[in-house]
Amino acid sequence: MERGQRALETIDGQAGQNVIDALADIAPDFATYLFEFPFGDIYSRPGLSLRDREVATISALAAMGTAQPQLKVHLEAGLNVGISQEEITEILMQMAVYAGFPAALNGLFAAKEVFAARASEQAEERT
Amino acid sequence: MERGQRALETIDGQAGQNVIDALADIAPDFATYLFEFPFGDIYSRPGLSLRDREVATISALAAMGTAQPQLKVHLEAGLNVGISQEEITEILMQMAVYAGFPAALNGLFAAKEVFAARASEQAEERT
Amino acid sequence: MERGQRALETIDGQAGQNVIDALADIAPDFATYLFEFPFGDIYSRPGLSLRDREVATISALAAMGTAQPQLKVHLEAGLNVGISQEEITEILMQMAVYAGFPAALNGLFAAKEVFAARASEQAEERT
Amino acid sequence: MERGQRALETIDGQAGQNVIDALADIAPDFATYLFEFPFGDIYSRPGLSLRDREVATISALAAMGTAQPQLKVHLEAGLNVGISQEEITEILMQMAVYAGFPAALNGLFAAKEVFAARASEQAEERT
Amino acid sequence: MERGQRALETIDGQAGQNVIDALADIAPDFATYLFEFPFGDIYSRPGLSLRDREVATISALAAMGTAQPQLKVHLEAGLNVGISQEEITEILMQMAVYAGFPAALNGLFAAKEVFAARASEQAEERT
Amino acid sequence: MERGQRALETIDGQAGQNVIDALADIAPDFATYLFEFPFGDIYSRPGLSLRDREVATISALAAMGTAQPQLKVHLEAGLNVGISQEEITEILMQMAVYAGFPAALNGLFAAKEVFAARASEQAEERT
């Protein structure tokens, strides 16, 4: 579980912590499972790079189209593990082929929000 | 369109050609669109590696769970562009987190078939 | 319910009857609901032509990608109410835009089967 | 591409242009693809009427339930190419049969918004 | 239909009535179908308890992830027919296994809102 | 993990074991996760009865429509934990309301197969 907490911190940063906090009064055990299974077990496995894992997650969530809040967390996470904004845009555009143009458009508009929020945070930090 | 045909050949090999052939008597124009948009336009763009593109496609198709024949084509394509069998297995296992254990299981069983077919082809070529 | 039975007969023909028969020993009441709600209530409403209703159903089922047997029944039904094979092919190709190329391909391959079965039935009737 | 731009203008009007504008700073090439493939290639094909194409798109998007913004654009487009408000309502009600009552309800509530916006625009134009 | 109205009232309470009211000016007949088929036919059948029916509906809607407003109505309905808040939380957590962690999280956050609204209503009633 | 293995055995019986065996040569660690998370963690929690858990799983899988093999495992599991064939039929019929008639029909036909297989096993055991 400790391994999962460290993994979550590296990958998802503040956005991941917000999810954990929001679970505290309704399903605190579910926060434990989130640490243990996705982050402690899956993301900590050596057979695939963290960068590849986030390419996979961004694609899956954009294609499914039912997990917009989680897609935003992972667009952020993708940037954290070294995927560039241009690469994220390419991944989302490609989803038009497999899940249709609406899935790609909704993904691109989510990315637009995430990129803008990050730009304004960085502008703030510089001042 | 020519660019698309070359891209399809490199990536999907025989499996891609089979799809094109099957379209010939029902929707030959759709084969043209397959060359032009996914392969000519999207896969030929320089902003993302072919390897990343196949990680994205495998994840999307496994998560959606409605495109088993296309998933098999792209498991094959993933191997063609340098994703290892171990890495593919990791990607599919990870889908349990985002799309549920059944999506991961159905993806893993598709991979099992694709890996076995490739092993038997390679055994044949050696004899 | 009588109205529903007549509507089902006109639209779905033998394929619809097969579904009703298959329900007889597991959920006979569900066959009644199929007559009453989709066919007795919805398809019998005057505000939309039967042809439009089948365009809508074929599109929905092809886009969802989780109802291949029902899609085949309605490809047949579409032909029964006057949609041409060319028009059906156009509808299915268009689904690539909204639900992705795999949804369109799986729809087109279902249509290929339905068109071939109908051609061989008609050949038989002539002999 | 020019053909696609004209088609988009006729069908989607201002709503389509808004999507193109929103893409300008994140994925301008994707706007080009939107002109070229869905509108330049698919909607410009002669084998199916524009009215039928919009019946198909509205049904697909309502049944999928993951593309509410695009559904609204196409409810508007449906009115633009001659589908009546009553017919749109019938199409959406019918989706209850194939995608469940929630899909139909969410489609009907989207239509309610689109019809109300159009009524208030027309009231404004008259004054 | 009367039977359906009584069933809807018992199960969904005010939330169900709001849906019916919202349909009045766009699709009043659809309100009739809601009374007749889901409530008059299905929920009134003796072979399954109302409690089991709501366990089934909550699970289905949370797993699909495309019907957030209807999920909230049925979280409320689940409490009305005797499922405890703890049991609802367990059901939603379990959806992580079958539909992925995002489906479970989005369900849990919907439940958090419904439970909070009910708590504040009950606090108001006491004063 | 031991707790998970016992839970899997009680609930899924031979069908669960077959899944574990099939994973052995492609993703043996995934079998471990199946024991640990769904069965060791989720199904072993005291807050919801095993019967309720299977009502939830059957509903979710039937509504999603992308996990037919897993649906069959859990129709079997439902019978193992005390849901009657009549109750399973009611649950699946109810899915027509939330996920459409095709989802209900595909669920009912899966149940028909599972019930028939069980009947022929029981006939064999008696001889």
Side-chain angles (χ1 to χ4, degrees):
Chain A
M1 182 173 154
E2 223 178 285
R3 187 177 52 188
Q5 274 176 307
R6 275 199 314 274
L8 180 86
E9 211 179 285
T10 317
I11 303 167
D12 284 1
Q14 190 54 43
Q17 191 54 49
N18 294 348
V19 171
I20 301 302
D21 292 348
L23 286 169
D25 58 347
I26 180 158
D29 294 358
F30 200 69
T32 310
Y33 297 145
L34 263 176
F35 286 132
E36 282 179 359
F37 176 60
F39 292 99
D41 285 343
I42 298 290
Y43 278 78
S44 302
R45 291 176 62 87
L48 191 71
S49 72
L50 268 184
R51 192 185 169 286
D52 282 346
R53 291 198 183 279
E54 287 299 337
V55 172
T57 300
I58 289 168
S59 310
L61 295 176
M64 292 168 73
T66 50
Q68 216 62 0
Q70 289 78 25
L71 175 59
K72 283 186 195 170
V73 170
H74 282 279
L75 289 169
E76 191 82 35
L79 298 171
N80 290 347
V81 300
I83 312 178
S84 73
Q85 294 198 358
E86 189 198 352
E87 288 171 325
I88 283 176
T89 304
E90 290 292 328
I91 293 167
L92 295 170
M93 285 169 57
Q94 185 175 322
M95 290 305 105
V97 179
Y98 300 104
F101 277 75
L105 284 169
N106 294 333
L108 288 166
F109 293 140
K112 200 173 158 169
E113 277 183 52
V114 169
F115 296 169
R118 183 165 276 232
S120 85
E121 270 169 49
Q122 286 172 343
E124 235 164 84
E125 277 166 25
R126 270 197 301 276
T127 56
Chain B
M1 182 173 155
E2 222 178 285
R3 187 176 54 186
Q5 274 176 308
R6 274 199 313 274
L8 179 87
E9 209 178 286
T10 317
I11 303 166
D12 285 1
Q14 190 53 44
Q17 191 54 49
N18 294 348
V19 172
I20 301 304
D21 293 348
L23 286 169
D25 59 346
I26 180 156
D29 293 357
F30 200 69
T32 310
Y33 297 145
L34 263 176
F35 286 133
E36 281 179 0
F37 176 61
F39 292 101
D41 285 344
I42 298 288
Y43 278 79
S44 302
R45 291 175 61 86
L48 191 71
S49 73
L50 267 184
R51 191 186 169 287
D52 281 346
R53 291 198 182 278
E54 286 300 337
V55 172
T57 299
I58 289 168
S59 310
L61 296 177
M64 293 169 72
T66 50
Q68 216 64 358
Q70 290 78 24
L71 175 58
K72 283 185 195 170
V73 170
H74 282 279
L75 289 169
E76 191 83 34
L79 297 170
N80 291 347
V81 300
I83 312 179
S84 72
Q85 294 199 357
E86 190 198 352
E87 287 171 324
I88 284 176
T89 305
E90 290 293 327
I91 292 167
L92 295 170
M93 284 170 57
Q94 185 174 322
M95 290 305 106
V97 179
Y98 299 104
F101 277 75
L105 284 169
N106 293 333
L108 287 166
F109 293 140
K112 200 174 158 169
E113 277 183 52
V114 170
F115 296 170
R118 183 165 276 231
S120 83
E121 270 170 46
Q122 287 171 343
E124 236 164 84
E125 278 166 24
R126 270 197 301 274
T127 56
Chain C
M1 184 173 154
E2 223 178 287
R3 187 177 53 189
Q5 273 175 308
R6 275 197 314 274
L8 180 86
E9 212 178 285
T10 317
I11 304 167
D12 284 2
Q14 190 54 43
Q17 191 54 50
N18 294 347
V19 171
I20 300 303
D21 292 347
L23 286 169
D25 58 346
I26 180 158
D29 294 357
F30 200 68
T32 310
Y33 297 146
L34 263 175
F35 286 131
E36 282 179 357
F37 177 61
F39 293 100
D41 285 343
I42 297 290
Y43 277 78
S44 303
R45 291 175 62 85
L48 191 71
S49 72
L50 268 184
R51 191 185 169 286
D52 282 347
R53 290 199 183 278
E54 286 300 337
V55 172
T57 299
I58 289 169
S59 310
L61 295 177
M64 293 168 73
T66 51
Q68 216 64 358
Q70 290 78 25
L71 175 58
K72 284 186 195 169
V73 170
H74 283 278
L75 289 168
E76 191 82 35
L79 297 171
N80 291 346
V81 300
I83 313 178
S84 72
Q85 294 198 358
E86 189 197 352
E87 287 171 324
I88 284 176
T89 305
E90 289 293 326
I91 292 167
L92 295 170
M93 285 170 57
Q94 185 174 322
M95 290 305 105
V97 178
Y98 300 103
F101 277 75
L105 284 169
N106 294 333
L108 288 166
F109 293 141
K112 199 173 157 169
E113 276 182 53
V114 170
F115 296 169
R118 183 166 275 233
S120 84
E121 269 169 50
Q122 287 171 341
E124 236 164 84
E125 278 165 26
R126 272 196 298 275
T127 57
Chain D
M1 181 172 153
E2 222 178 286
R3 185 177 53 187
Q5 273 175 309
R6 274 198 314 273
L8 180 86
E9 213 177 284
T10 317
I11 304 167
D12 285 1
Q14 189 54 41
Q17 191 54 49
N18 294 349
V19 171
I20 301 303
D21 293 348
L23 286 169
D25 58 346
I26 180 156
D29 294 359
F30 200 70
T32 310
Y33 297 145
L34 263 175
F35 286 131
E36 282 179 358
F37 176 61
F39 292 101
D41 286 344
I42 297 289
Y43 277 78
S44 304
R45 291 175 62 86
L48 191 71
S49 72
L50 267 184
R51 191 184 168 287
D52 281 346
R53 291 198 182 279
E54 287 300 337
V55 172
T57 299
I58 289 169
S59 309
L61 296 177
M64 294 168 73
T66 51
Q68 216 62 0
Q70 289 79 25
L71 175 58
K72 284 186 195 168
V73 170
H74 282 278
L75 289 169
E76 191 82 35
L79 297 171
N80 291 346
V81 300
I83 312 178
S84 73
Q85 294 198 358
E86 189 199 353
E87 288 171 323
I88 284 177
T89 305
E90 290 293 327
I91 293 167
L92 295 169
M93 285 170 56
Q94 186 175 322
M95 291 304 107
V97 179
Y98 300 103
F101 277 75
L105 284 169
N106 294 333
L108 288 167
F109 294 140
K112 201 175 157 168
E113 278 183 51
V114 169
F115 296 169
R118 183 165 275 232
S120 83
E121 270 170 48
Q122 287 172 342
E124 237 165 82
E125 277 165 25
R126 273 197 298 273
T127 57
Chain E
M1 182 172 154
E2 222 177 288
R3 186 177 54 188
Q5 272 175 308
R6 274 198 314 274
L8 179 87
E9 211 178 285
T10 317
I11 304 167
D12 285 1
Q14 190 54 44
Q17 191 54 50
N18 294 348
V19 171
I20 301 303
D21 293 348
L23 286 168
D25 58 346
I26 180 156
D29 293 357
F30 200 69
T32 310
Y33 296 144
L34 263 175
F35 285 131
E36 282 180 358
F37 176 60
F39 292 99
D41 286 343
I42 298 289
Y43 277 77
S44 302
R45 290 175 62 86
L48 190 72
S49 73
L50 268 184
R51 192 185 169 284
D52 282 345
R53 291 199 182 278
E54 286 300 337
V55 172
T57 299
I58 290 169
S59 308
L61 296 176
M64 293 169 73
T66 51
Q68 217 62 0
Q70 289 78 23
L71 175 58
K72 283 185 195 170
V73 170
H74 282 278
L75 290 169
E76 191 81 34
L79 297 171
N80 291 346
V81 300
I83 312 178
S84 73
Q85 295 199 356
E86 189 198 353
E87 288 171 324
I88 284 176
T89 305
E90 289 293 326
I91 293 167
L92 295 170
M93 285 170 57
Q94 185 175 321
M95 291 304 105
V97 179
Y98 300 103
F101 277 74
L105 284 168
N106 294 332
L108 288 166
F109 293 140
K112 200 174 158 169
E113 277 183 53
V114 169
F115 296 169
R118 183 165 275 231
S120 83
E121 269 169 48
Q122 287 172 342
E124 236 164 84
E125 277 166 25
R126 270 196 300 275
T127 57
Chain F
M1 181 172 154
E2 222 178 286
R3 187 177 51 187
Q5 274 175 307
R6 272 199 315 274
L8 180 85
E9 212 178 284
T10 317
I11 303 167
D12 285 1
Q14 190 54 42
Q17 192 53 50
N18 294 348
V19 172
I20 301 303
D21 293 347
L23 286 169
D25 59 346
I26 181 158
D29 293 359
F30 200 69
T32 310
Y33 297 145
L34 262 176
F35 286 132
E36 282 179 359
F37 176 61
F39 293 100
D41 285 345
I42 297 290
Y43 277 78
S44 302
R45 292 175 61 87
L48 191 71
S49 72
L50 267 183
R51 191 186 169 287
D52 282 345
R53 291 197 182 280
E54 287 299 336
V55 172
T57 299
I58 289 168
S59 309
L61 296 177
M64 293 169 72
T66 51
Q68 215 64 357
Q70 290 78 24
L71 175 59
K72 283 185 195 169
V73 170
H74 282 278
L75 289 169
E76 190 82 36
L79 297 171
N80 291 346
V81 300
I83 312 179
S84 73
Q85 295 198 357
E86 189 198 352
E87 287 170 325
I88 284 176
T89 304
E90 290 293 326
I91 293 167
L92 295 170
M93 285 170 57
Q94 186 174 322
M95 290 305 105
V97 179
Y98 300 103
F101 277 75
L105 284 170
N106 294 332
L108 287 166
F109 293 140
K112 199 174 159 169
E113 278 183 51
V114 169
F115 296 169
R118 183 166 277 230
S120 83
E121 269 169 48
Q122 287 172 343
E124 236 164 83
E125 276 165 26
R126 271 197 298 275
T127 55

